[in-house]
């Protein structure tokens, strides 16, 4: 899959990365659209993002797979998504 990384020069770089496998209570989301918001840019400008960090947390997509214990149907509200071992918190509306 492709993801937006911050490289060692603190620049955005699109590159391939392995598709993660959802763990217990998690879902894998195929991202359709993703935005880079002002907070991402402020963290980048301040040098607060570590190299090889995947950025972009405003996204929408389709649930592709569910780990053990993930909600069996529509779920909305505070949820957790994982991408390459990095966790994102927010309000996700998902359907499995």
């Amino acid at each position: 899959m492709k993801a937006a990384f911050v490289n060692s020069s603190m620049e955005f770089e699109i590159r391939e990365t392995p598709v993660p496998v959802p763990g217990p209570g998690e879902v894998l989301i195929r991202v359709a659209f993703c935005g880079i918001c002002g907070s991402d840019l402020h963290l980048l400008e301040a040098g607060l993002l570590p190299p090889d960090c995947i950025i972009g947390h405003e996204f929408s997509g389709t649930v592709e797979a569910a780990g053990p214990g993930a909600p069996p149907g529509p779920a909305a509200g505070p949820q957790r998504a994982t991408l390459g071992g990095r966790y994102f918190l927010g309000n996700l509306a998902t359907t499995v």
Side-chain angles (χ1 to χ4, degrees), residues 2 29-35 58-64:
K2 292 183 180 177
I29 300 171
R30 177 181 293 274
V31 176
F33 302 96
C34 184
E58 296 179 355
F59 62 89
S60 65
T62 305
V63 173
E64 289 286 308

Side-chain angles (χ1 to χ4, degrees), residues 34-88:
C34 184
I36 305 298
C37 77
S39 61
D40 294 320
L41 297 176
H42 292 301
L43 291 170
L44 180 67
E45 290 171 353
L48 298 175
L49 294 175
D52 286 333
C53 174
I54 297 174
I55 63 165
H57 61 269
E58 296 179 355
F59 62 89
S60 65
T62 305
V63 173
E64 289 286 308
Q79 299 291 321
R80 181 175 68 182
T82 182
L83 181 63
R86 297 164 178 91
Y87 291 92
F88 300 90

